Amino acid sequence: MVSETLNPDAAPPGFLRDDGEKPEWRVEAGLIAYPDAVALMEARAEAIARGEARELVWLIEHPPLYTAGVSARPEDLIAPDRFEVFASGRGGQYTYHGPGQRVVYVMLDLNKRRKDVRAFVQ
């Protein structure tokens, strides 16, 4: 269940679409493998861009793993064999993900909103 702090009806100005359509909110109960999550996100983002799917805010948990951002250096990982490591292609260094840690993946069409990433993040 989506809590009050994650209430999509409480979106700040500039976050809502001009047409009033709200994204789908999905909260997964079990663990989702990172490669499966990436594949779903890529497919969903492409479908959203084509206008064939609703936007999605997806809350999931992964099995224990590290994601390696574009700034990650192999020598910085203290125990490289402890968990699987996945290159993320995003900023940052290494990030741990695992059970009990909710990850929020936001798939929105910013062309349908105010194009202001700082306002969106705020």
Side-chain angles (χ1 to χ4, degrees):
M1 178 174 209
V2 178
S3 73
E4 282 300 309
T5 58
L6 297 173
N7 183 353
D9 293 325
F15 180 79
L16 298 176
R17 290 171 50 134
D18 292 338
D19 62 10
E21 184 175 322
K22 296 177 182 174
E24 174 187 352
W25 285 68
R26 186 184 311 165
V27 180
E28 300 291 344
L31 301 179
I32 308 293
Y34 186 78
D36 295 342
V38 170
L40 186 144
M41 288 188 291
E42 289 174 350
R44 184 68 173 248
E46 290 172 8
I48 291 167
R50 291 190 306 267
E52 298 170 358
R54 282 181 61 197
E55 299 167 312
L56 176 63
V57 178
W58 194 29
L59 289 84
I60 68 173
E61 294 179 45
H62 293 298
L65 63 93
Y66 291 117
T67 53
V70 295
S71 301
R73 299 182 320 192
E75 61 270 18
D76 290 340
L77 196 55
I78 296 170
D81 297 326
R82 185 170 185 187
F83 304 120
E84 283 190 271
V85 178
F86 296 92
S88 71
R90 294 178 177 87
Q93 297 177 2
Y94 290 100
T95 303
Y96 169 79
H97 300 282
Q101 178 193 40
R102 241 345 139 175
V103 180
V104 181
Y105 293 114
V106 180
M107 293 160 265
L108 301 177
D109 183 349
L110 295 182
N111 290 316
K112 307 274 183 180
R113 292 175 163 62
R114 192 168 113 201
K115 290 186 179 181
D116 184 343
V117 173
R118 286 189 180 133
F120 171 75
V121 171
Q122 180 183 11

